Amino acid sequence: MLKDAGGESALSALSAFLEEDMHACNRAIVQRMQSPVPLIPQLGAHLVAAGGKRLRPLLTLASARLCGYEPAPDRQRHVGLAACVEFIHTATLLHDDVVDESTLRRGLASANAVFGNKASVLVGDFLFARSFQLMTADGSLRVMAILSAASATIAEGEVLQMATQNDLSTPIDRYLEVIHGKTAALFAAACRVGAVLTDRPIAEEEALDAFGTNLGMAFQLVDDALDYAADQQTLGKTVGDDMREGKITLPVLAAYDAATPEEKVFWERVIEQGEQTDADLPRALELIAKTDAIGVTIARAQTYADAAVEALSIFPESELRGLLERTVQYTVNRAR
């Protein structure tokens, strides 16, 4: 098992290692958010101001560099594709916040809370369109196939999550299928295109795909745990949103599986029937703590994290590989 290696400082170190590339990526993001329609750059500025770790584009840049990519002065494919990945991700966030009726994103008012649902959906569509323009500009059909497939998988994952909502009989395998679609698929694509840029052997391409998939699974498992284990400032959204929305996540499934008959009645009322009072979230947190549902979730996340690190073993040891390994553990340590 990979041990703790510095928490969030690991992500900061990776960003610093790729500082020049990240600055170029951020410039590309801001430039591509411009439009003669004023509302689009206004909403875009709100998203940029909200910050975010830019983990997915960072992974694209890191994967390309890990595979030896050297950009030409007038041709920086890794930067364009990193921006593309961020646009896909941001578009899905805009749509998700509308579907989930979220009012917070990264600790600030969500775009739909500020600009309304219609604007959020339409600007999300605009960012999806921008992402495909960037794919086209790159000129690689392989890259387009990978990123467009990921975009479709994300949509499938969100629809599948909607289909499992309020259903405590959802098998864990189905839940894992949901988080693979909504999160891990884009992590995998973001990493895989790095190998495609450099025409690396298929084994390295598949290794980066496996790295991204397992990292994405660990990341989402921890996010789901944090909804029941973090304070609102740390989480960047309202604590307990998943429960209020009746979302089926591993903390709830683990707590329900270990519950007494009386406790199962509670979970069925608040999750399946959606009948909730102000006292229900504290009770849910109490039951989750009692059954160690957070521990169960983090243990599974650690399994995926270990698999992500193992996937990198095909690459020679280097400073960049070490930073990626530390970043994996950061994703799990967020809930510790």
Side-chain angles (χ1 to χ4, degrees), residues 63-134:
S63 297
R65 292 295 191 178
L66 187 67
C67 290
Y69 179 70
E70 292 292 341
D74 60 343
R75 179 77 162 136
Q76 296 191 326
R77 295 177 64 196
H78 64 322
V79 170
L81 292 177
C84 173
V85 166
E86 181 66 5
F87 280 145
I88 294 171
H89 174 56
T90 305
T92 63
L93 292 185
L94 286 170
H95 290 165
D96 289 352
D97 284 347
V98 171
V99 171
D100 296 340
E101 300 180 348
S102 299
T103 58
L104 285 177
R105 169 65 62 182
R106 296 166 180 159
L108 299 176
S110 61
N112 53 300
V114 176
F115 296 94
N117 288 338
K118 292 180 181 178
S120 291
V121 169
L122 293 173
V123 174
D125 292 344
F126 171 83
L127 294 182
F128 262 130
R130 275 288 192 249
S131 74
F132 278 86
Q133 287 180 323
L134 285 163

Side-chain angles (χ1 to χ4, degrees), residues 188-200:
C191 294
R192 186 165 198 146
V193 294
V196 174
L197 285 181
T198 49
D199 294 320
R200 301 302 299 168

